[in-house]
Amino acid sequence: MFVGKDQLEIMALLPILQYPDERLHTVAKPVEKVDDRIRQLVKDMAETMYDAPGVGLAATQVDVHERVVVIDVSENGDDLLVLINPEITWYSDEKQVYEEGCLSVSGIYDKVERAAEIKVKALNEKGETFEFHADGLLAVCVQHELDHLDGKVFVEHLSLLKQNRILTRIRKQQREAKKAAEKVMV
């Protein structure tokens, strides 16, 4: 179902797990029942994504290991797509390369090759099944977020050399942030 960020009600910002947190490698379980708890999770995830700001967020990234994704690739942030128990039912043979980033891998961007077009089947926040075709940025975003639900982060599509460089950079940033925090406490 598509709604805009202006239509979201009572919500809470959720903490986003940061790579290399091991919880990002947890495979999400299917949602058993689309109920008020799941609808609240969707609202909270949407607010978190818009606030970050990002164009997609998987429940795994907020340490909820259920198959829920929110996406909004619109220019104005007014076309929220909610995917519950999403599955890609078809991938095109044609590939495309996009420069991807991730709310769980702050400040890191790199090119990833994915299917240029896909077909997706999911439930909306009412528990109704729907299907759609995606290409361009939407196709990239869906594949990226479904990777999260399967316990995979986009940097794992990169060469081992690039993965190691990214880990080194992130660990350095974490050390510098810790030192800065310690100075503030003194």
Side-chain angles (χ1 to χ4, degrees):
M1 173 147 195
F2 296 88
V3 298
K5 65 181 173 184
D6 297 335
Q7 296 170 320
L8 302 173
E9 299 140 20
I10 302 169
M11 301 163 290
L13 290 177
L14 303 170
I16 298 172
L17 298 177
Q18 293 300 303
Y19 182 78
D21 192 309
E22 281 302 312
R23 293 172 288 180
L24 290 168
H25 296 293
T26 304
V27 176
K29 293 180 171 53
V31 171
E32 296 290 325
K33 180 181 178 190
V34 179
D35 55 14
D36 288 342
R37 180 184 67 82
I38 293 298
R39 283 185 281 278
Q40 187 62 51
L41 174 63
V42 164
K43 290 176 185 175
D44 293 345
M45 286 175 59
E47 180 181 24
T48 302
M49 176 190 72
Y50 287 126
D51 184 71
V55 295
L57 187 67
T60 301
Q61 293 176 269
V62 294
D63 204 20
V64 176
H65 303 287
E66 293 181 85
R67 298 188 75 79
V68 178
V69 166
V70 295
I71 294 173
D72 190 340
V73 296
S74 69
E75 291 286 324
N76 302 322
D78 59 359
D79 202 10
L80 183 67
L81 174 61
V82 175
L83 305 175
I84 300 169
N85 294 339
E87 59 181 286
I88 298 173
T89 58
W90 174 81
Y91 295 87
S92 68
D93 291 334
E94 182 186 348
K95 303 293 183 194
Q96 65 183 348
V97 176
Y98 261 83
E99 186 167 82
E100 295 186 27
C102 181
L103 296 176
S104 291
V105 192
S106 298
I108 305 292
Y109 300 89
D110 213 318
K111 292 182 170 120
V112 177
E113 182 180 78
R114 298 188 185 269
E117 297 178 63
I118 57 173
K119 289 185 182 172
V120 182
K121 181 179 179 181
L123 300 175
N124 64 21
E125 65 270 19
K126 295 177 183 173
E128 302 164 336
T129 301
F130 71 105
E131 297 181 55
F132 65 97
H133 174 270
D135 59 9
L137 180 57
L138 180 58
V140 169
C141 195
V142 170
Q143 291 172 84
H144 177 111
E145 299 309 332
L146 268 60
D147 273 358
H148 279 300
L149 298 181
D150 293 332
K152 190 171 186 177
V153 180
F154 92 96
V155 296
E156 294 165 21
H157 285 279
L158 307 176
S159 70
L160 244 91
L161 178 64
K162 283 187 176 184
Q163 288 181 47
N164 287 331
R165 285 181 179 164
I166 289 167
L167 271 174
T168 300
R169 182 174 164 189
I170 288 171
R171 289 193 173 123
K172 181 181 177 187
Q173 290 170 344
Q174 290 171 339
R175 281 192 306 274
E176 289 170 357
K178 185 178 177 183
K179 285 181 186 176
E182 288 171 353
K183 287 181 182 179
V184 171
M185 287 192 268
V186 176

